Amino acid sequence: MSNTSLPLVPEKSEPLPSLGSKEGLLSWIASVDHKLIGIMYLVTAGIFFVIGGLEAMVIRLQLGVPANNSFITPEIYNQLFTMHGTTMIFLVVVPLMLGFGIYFVPLMIGARDMAFPRLNLLSFWLLAFGGIFLYFSFLAGGAPDAGWFAYTPLSGRPYSLSHGMDYWALGLLAVGVGTLASGINFIVTIITRRAPGMKFTQVPMFVWTTFVNSFLIVLALPALNAALVMLLADRLFYANFFTPDTGGAPILWQHYFWAFGHPEVYIMILPAWGMIAETIPVFSRKPLFGFAIFAASSVAIAVLSFAVYAHHMFADGLGHAFDALFGASSELIAIPTGIKIFNWIATMWGGRIRFTTSMLFAISFLVTFTIGGVSGVTFAVVPTDWQTTDSYYVVAHLHYVLFGGTMFAVFAGTYYWFPKMTGRMLSEKWGKWHFWTTFIGFNLTFFIQHVLGLMGMPRRVFTYPDYPFWGLFNQISTAGALLLGVSVLIFFWNIFISLRKGALAGDNPWDAWTLEWATTSPPPEKNFDQLPEIKSRRPLWDYKHPENPDWKQPQSGKKPKTTSADFSHPAQPETKTEVKNGSKNAVMDRRKLGMLIFIASEAVFFLLLILAFLYFRYQNPTAQFSANNLDTLKTLIFTVCLVASSVTVWLAERSLKQSKAGRVILWLAATVILGLVFLAGQSLEYFNLFDKNIDIRTNTFSSSFFTLTGFHGLHVFSGIVALATLAGLGFIGLFKRAKGLLVLQTVSYYWHFVDAVWLVIFTVVYLIK
């Protein structure tokens, strides 16, 4: 596309396929169109939102009356608050962020789809499978009951005898893998699929926050996965990671879980900030104030989020120096967060504000999220945290951040983008009812819980004494929850009637400025035929106002002139050139980039398993099974074989560059054989230990040894399957040089990583005594 290309929207949008026929249903569940997958994410999250909300209603009804209310039993209560927290965090908020991102990020950067469409579909089905698997626990002996944070040893087999926690861990692993795949997909898409001329400094803020958020996903989720793997090893194979009686360390679970858990807070809020950064400027008729500092503060928050996790552990007695360090970092992260509040306020200042339902939710977001942020700062002060931890003050803070923050932003984004997704407007009349019932119901429910927490009411209790005002305040909270439930019914009713009879939206009902509004509503399958020239963050403004383009204005919040130009009728003749998102090589390189990002995530996973091994090794150096029982010499021989396989795979690459197909197959076969020899050597090591009655149950050293080396062996096996597949394709003549070289290089990256990880494991486990 030349630099003089003009915007061109398709003449006719392609309607969403109907769910009423088999063909229509299959077109959804098997589609790789990012828009349909994004809608499936949003619908699935909406279903779980209703389920989680009903669980919350039952909890509030139980707590509406003090002194041994028998509405539900303590066992059911424990299951419900565990499932409510798990559902809202893992099956509602995160999927909502992913759903909006999957639908709108390609549109906002001028792409036709995500970088990996099939991986995109797999990510959704992993979410759906994980959620169904989790809720199947109700039919399999009882749901998990140890809290959404699953503190050990309470989540271990001795204290949780049903299989509920097994379903919890396996379900979250499935959801986590799908989320991780989405994070990789977002990063590669935003790097490689931006429209020609669109610089990183010109992407919409929602795209930027999604991009930063994806790095959080890639680097934080491995901590949860490592913790879940160890928990499952304890529960299913009687390992000893977290059981104190056998030398396990319950505190290790907290370190790993919160190393994921606090970045997870920002995984749930960063894209929501991006939504607010899109809606407030449009309805204020001003560009976002301080775009650069807003973007930089998002990066700062992502980095600092890994340095604040232990403020969840101030009551664990880890020492004053430890508490002071994480207390200071927790206070520091409030600075870039506060910057965003001022960015939004300054954007509205002097603007021509339109109080649409979307804007009302965005403004109320500023109020409720600020309250949640201020209460969060109190947890950075260690003495205050000691007084309020595990009280209803924490419950209030959490909901002000996640519901008053994320969900208010989601509602703002829904009213803003619903016309683009469906071609119809949501009813503003019903929207106002939805807003006010939500705002009043939410604050009635949760603001009073601050007071309850300061009065000493603990969280996670199914009943409470009839102390002065406790019953009254809980009744107020329950009444607010019921009103909040009504607001959700109004919201879904609005969606239902608007889909049937809503006013036609047109292509750009809000006169917005980003590229998703440059196509029809809803967008066609390929999104765009042509794109406008991109020279600023507001390309549609530039197109409509060539006399006053955004790229000529100082980015200081200057109020631009506005007109009512119709984007559907370009002023100059249209051309038929097709949008190309980079060169062919750039498109193919997305595979190698995706693999490198995946390797980075897996490196974090193995690092955490290695750290657990070292922790248990030096915690009990006189254990019955230690490094002295391992056969270092034999393992060194098999290690040499694995290292040699990195050479043979490199030779396969070189032969493919030289178009020597026979040698490619030969070297790939040699790599597969060397990998199998290594696995055979590890198997011999295992059988030798089994003969000595040493297995994963023996002690903490054996538990960490078998888990660490076993997962490495699984990675070796996966690499062997991939290499053998390539060799087979080459043997039957389907492995072409140009495309095949990129595929082989991608697989070789993974294989070299697996070999490098083993060298670290061999050094740590076998050589360091």
Side-chain angles (χ1 to χ4, degrees):
M1 182 176 114
S2 68
N3 289 335
T4 59
S5 297
L6 293 174
L8 171 65
V9 295
E11 295 180 358
K12 182 179 179 181
S13 64
E14 300 181 14
L16 296 177
S18 170
L19 291 175
S21 65
K22 181 178 179 181
E23 181 179 355
L25 180 62
L26 289 176
S27 70
W28 281 82
I29 64 176
S31 174
V32 293
D33 183 348
H34 72 98
K35 297 180 291 297
L36 299 188
I37 295 173
I39 290 174
M40 289 193 292
Y41 260 100
L42 297 177
V43 170
T44 302
I47 293 171
F48 283 117
F49 179 59
V50 171
I51 295 172
L54 291 173
E55 291 165 344
M57 290 297 168
V58 175
I59 292 171
R60 285 314 315 167
L61 289 173
Q62 169 63 26
L63 295 172
V65 179
N68 298 317
N69 185 12
S70 59
F71 180 67
I72 56 175
T73 65
E75 293 76 17
I76 295 298
Y77 182 88
N78 286 345
Q79 293 178 29
L80 286 179
F81 87 72
T82 299
M83 291 296 286
H84 168 71
T86 302
T87 299
M88 290 303 192
I89 290 173
F90 296 100
L91 302 179
V92 176
V93 177
V94 173
L96 283 174
M97 299 297 99
L98 296 178
F100 276 106
I102 288 168
Y103 193 104
F104 284 105
V105 163
L107 286 167
M108 296 177 90
I109 64 174
R112 290 189 170 180
D113 211 321
M114 298 286 284
F116 305 109
R118 291 180 179 83
L119 182 64
N120 199 20
L121 183 62
L122 175 63
S123 299
F124 166 74
W125 285 112
L126 284 171
L127 164 70
F129 171 78
I132 294 170
F133 195 76
L134 177 65
Y135 270 87
F136 182 76
S137 62
F138 278 109
L139 305 177
D145 56 2
W148 68 270
F149 37 79
Y151 278 173
T152 56
L154 296 179
S155 57
R157 185 178 291 276
Y159 297 95
S160 186
L161 297 177
S162 75
H163 289 291
M165 291 308 303
D166 300 328
Y167 284 98
W168 182 86
L170 290 169
L172 290 195
L173 274 174
V175 173
V177 171
T179 303
L180 178 61
S182 293
I184 295 172
N185 214 344
F186 278 128
I187 294 172
V188 179
T189 299
I190 295 169
I191 290 177
T192 66
R193 292 293 178 94
R194 298 191 313 280
M198 179 178 282
K199 303 175 183 177
F200 260 108
T201 55
Q202 295 170 343
V203 298
M205 187 51 70
F206 178 69
V207 175
W208 179 257
T209 54
T210 300
F211 183 66
V212 175
N213 186 60
S214 299
F215 283 97
L216 274 181
I217 289 173
V218 166
L219 297 177
L221 269 173
L224 175 65
N225 292 340
L228 291 173
V229 162
M230 291 188 282
L231 178 63
L232 284 170
D234 276 12
R235 291 188 56 85
L236 301 180
F237 306 113
Y238 299 94
N240 306 283
F241 287 108
F242 305 120
T243 306
D245 294 344
T246 56
I251 196 69
L252 183 65
W253 169 269
Q254 292 193 42
H255 279 290
Y256 279 21
F257 183 83
W258 289 119
F260 151 80
H262 205 83
E264 170 75 352
V265 172
Y266 296 100
I267 290 172
M268 293 186 284
I269 197 68
L270 266 169
W273 288 339
M275 292 180 187
I276 297 299
E278 298 298 330
T279 54
I280 284 182
V282 169
F283 294 119
S284 299
R285 306 314 300 162
K286 288 177 58 182
L288 179 67
F289 180 88
F291 185 99
I293 191 65
F294 193 105
S297 65
S298 300
V299 177
I301 287 169
V303 173
L304 287 172
S305 67
F306 291 98
V308 302
Y309 79 89
H311 71 230
H312 295 273
M313 303 169 62
F314 283 159
D316 288 346
L318 298 176
H320 293 308
F322 186 92
D323 292 348
L325 175 64
F326 281 95
S329 63
S330 300
E331 293 175 352
L332 182 63
I333 203 172
I335 296 174
T337 305
I339 287 173
K340 297 184 182 298
I341 302 295
F342 289 107
N343 283 129
W344 289 314
I345 294 173
T347 301
M348 291 188 292
W349 190 267
R352 294 190 290 122
I353 298 176
R354 291 182 288 174
F355 290 99
T356 63
T357 303
S358 177
M359 188 61 168
L360 288 175
F361 272 110
I363 294 172
S364 63
F365 161 90
L366 298 181
V367 177
T368 52
F369 178 74
T370 300
I371 293 173
V374 170
S375 65
V377 173
T378 65
F379 294 112
V381 182
V382 178
T384 303
D385 179 85
W386 286 345
Q387 296 300 313
T388 56
T389 189
D390 280 337
S391 75
Y392 260 79
Y393 188 87
V394 178
V395 178
H397 159 72
L398 179 65
H399 285 85
Y400 265 87
V401 170
L402 295 185
F403 198 106
T406 301
M407 287 308 300
F408 273 54
V410 165
F411 289 139
T414 300
Y415 281 90
Y416 177 64
W417 277 317
F418 185 86
K420 177 53 58 179
M421 300 171 73
T422 66
R424 295 186 179 272
M425 304 291 291
L426 281 169
S427 167
E428 284 292 306
K429 177 183 176 181
W430 283 110
K432 298 299 195 298
W433 277 102
H434 173 220
F435 167 73
W436 286 112
T437 52
T438 301
F439 186 78
I440 295 171
F442 168 76
N443 285 285
L444 273 178
T445 304
F446 296 109
F447 191 83
I448 199 71
Q449 291 181 6
H450 289 99
V451 182
L452 280 168
L454 294 174
M455 293 173 69
M457 181 173 175
R459 62 194 294 203
R460 301 191 293 272
V461 291
F462 93 105
T463 190
Y464 52 92
D466 192 9
Y467 291 151
F469 297 105
W470 282 29
L472 174 62
F473 289 171
N474 272 288
Q475 288 170 7
I476 293 173
S477 184
T478 298
L482 294 174
L483 181 59
L484 199 55
V486 171
S487 76
V488 174
L489 293 178
I490 295 173
F491 175 61
F492 284 116
W493 172 252
N494 194 358
I495 291 177
F496 175 74
I497 63 170
S498 297
L499 284 172
R500 294 168 60 89
K501 301 178 181 179
L504 295 178
D507 296 335
N508 190 0
W510 309 123
D511 194 20
W513 307 310
T514 44
L515 289 181
E516 76 270 27
W517 304 102
T519 185
T520 54
S521 302
E525 183 180 357
K526 293 183 179 180
N527 293 345
F528 303 98
D529 286 335
Q530 288 185 328
L531 292 169
E533 182 181 11
I534 299 171
K535 299 179 69 174
S536 75
R537 302 183 187 108
R538 301 195 298 164
L540 300 196
W541 170 273
D542 295 343
Y543 172 74
K544 294 181 183 181
H545 306 280
E547 79 290 349
N548 188 30
D550 191 62
W551 55 272
K552 285 187 178 180
Q553 299 181 31
Q555 299 300 316
S556 58
K558 177 182 176 181
K559 182 177 177 181
K561 301 175 183 179
T562 61
T563 68
S564 58
D566 187 356
F567 179 74
S568 299
H569 303 284
Q572 299 183 25
E574 300 166 358
T575 59
K576 293 293 183 180
T577 54
E578 207 175 74
V579 174
K580 294 183 179 180
N581 294 299
S583 66
K584 181 178 180 181
N585 288 337
V587 173
M588 295 303 296
D589 282 344
R590 76 191 193 278
R591 303 179 185 185
K592 290 163 41 173
L593 178 60
M595 178 59 73
L596 290 174
I597 298 169
F598 172 71
I599 286 172
S601 181
E602 289 295 276
V604 176
F605 175 79
F606 275 109
L607 174 64
L608 293 171
L609 290 184
I610 290 170
L611 289 176
F613 173 84
L614 291 172
Y615 175 83
F616 289 118
R617 175 175 182 164
Y618 294 108
Q619 182 192 47
N620 188 12
T622 60
Q624 175 187 354
F625 167 56
S626 66
N628 295 327
N629 298 94
L630 301 175
D631 194 329
T632 303
L633 181 59
K634 286 184 179 179
T635 305
L636 176 60
I637 295 173
F638 296 118
T639 299
V640 171
C641 293
L642 189 63
V643 172
S645 70
S646 276
V647 177
T648 56
V649 78
W650 173 77
L651 290 172
E653 286 184 57
R654 192 172 118 176
S655 298
L656 188 56
K657 290 178 182 178
Q658 298 170 349
S659 299
K660 298 179 179 178
R663 291 189 181 182
V664 173
I665 298 171
L666 176 65
W667 290 123
L668 285 176
T671 305
V672 169
I673 292 172
L674 289 170
L676 290 172
V677 169
F678 172 79
L679 287 182
Q682 280 299 100
S683 299
L684 290 175
E685 177 80 281
Y686 282 10
F687 288 127
N688 178 53
L689 294 173
F690 295 158
D691 288 341
K692 300 177 182 178
N693 295 319
I694 297 172
D695 57 31
I696 196 171
R697 301 168 295 178
T698 303
N699 56 29
T700 55
F701 186 95
S702 68
S703 296
S704 54
F705 169 80
F706 281 105
T707 302
L708 175 59
T709 57
F711 266 92
H712 178 266
L714 179 62
H715 281 67
V716 173
F717 177 77
S718 300
I720 288 173
V721 170
L723 291 166
T725 301
L726 294 181
L729 291 174
F731 184 77
I732 61 178
L734 296 179
F735 198 53
K736 306 299 181 183
R737 181 181 181 277
K739 185 175 180 180
L741 181 59
L742 288 170
V743 174
L744 178 55
Q745 287 175 337
T746 301
V747 175
S748 70
Y749 286 169
Y750 175 84
W751 190 254
H752 294 315
F753 164 72
V754 169
D755 291 0
V757 168
W758 177 253
L759 290 178
V760 176
I761 293 174
F762 180 72
T763 301
V764 170
V765 175
Y766 287 86
L767 299 183
I768 300 177
K769 301 296 185 179

